[in-house]
Amino acid sequence: MMETLYTAEALSTGAGRDGHVRTTDGTVEFDLAVPKEMGGSGEGANPEQLFAAGYSACFHSALQAVARTRKIPVADSSVGARVGIGPNGQGGFQLEVLLEVTLPGLPADQARELAEAAHQVCPYSNATRGNIEVTLNVVED
């Protein structure tokens, strides 16, 4: 059994994707809206945006941790995440993720190796592995 270091809690109220979400500590709170591309108003955040923000931040942290252990400076690094949603062909929906990793000043092979190592460390990557398609794109500077 895993030793839990931290637990985040959030509550969704209203109509799900057209509702309201708030963390129990109040640090995150806002209205949600279905994206226009899915027939909604698009006048609020949506779960895919939240997932993209969380994944990019978590992966970036993992990338920096791996680089730190290898004593490789990555001060100007960045990680972008694109989370797509679409039908799964069985009446439900599925997600896909594209992670774009930028490591300015590093040789392409070293940047790719760091990104791959971070992909093994990141909790989001470990949670999604084998469940959804995650594409890792290392952007050359």
Side-chain angles (χ1 to χ4, degrees):
M1 177 149 247
M2 178 184 83
E3 176 191 351
T4 303
L5 301 175
Y6 169 76
T7 300
E9 291 184 53
L11 178 65
S12 172
T13 57
R17 287 178 167 272
D18 273 320
H20 187 84
V21 69
R22 178 184 188 283
T23 57
T24 54
D25 65 4
T27 58
V28 175
E29 181 173 7
F30 45 84
D31 292 329
L32 298 172
V34 174
K36 287 182 181 180
E37 297 85 349
M38 294 175 66
S41 71
E43 295 180 8
N46 62 66
E48 291 70 40
Q49 290 171 324
L50 299 174
F51 191 72
Y55 203 160
S56 65
C58 190
F59 194 93
H60 197 196
S61 183
L63 182 71
Q64 290 174 334
V66 169
R68 200 168 33 255
T69 63
R70 297 179 183 192
K71 297 183 181 2
I72 300 170
V74 293
D76 295 330
S77 63
S78 65
V79 175
R82 293 184 199 162
V83 175
I85 185 171
N88 67 3
Q90 300 171 357
F93 292 86
Q94 66 188 33
L95 299 175
E96 65 181 4
V97 175
L98 171 64
L99 295 174
E100 291 190 338
V101 179
T102 304
L103 292 158
L106 288 185
D109 59 334
Q110 187 177 35
R112 182 85 184 152
E113 183 182 326
L114 277 179
E116 291 289 348
H119 199 35
Q120 297 305 309
V121 172
C122 175
Y124 276 66
S125 292
N126 288 329
T128 59
R129 189 170 290 109
N131 297 311
I132 66 173
E133 182 179 338
V134 176
T135 303
L136 192 57
N137 183 24
V138 179
V139 180
E140 292 191 33
D141 187 38

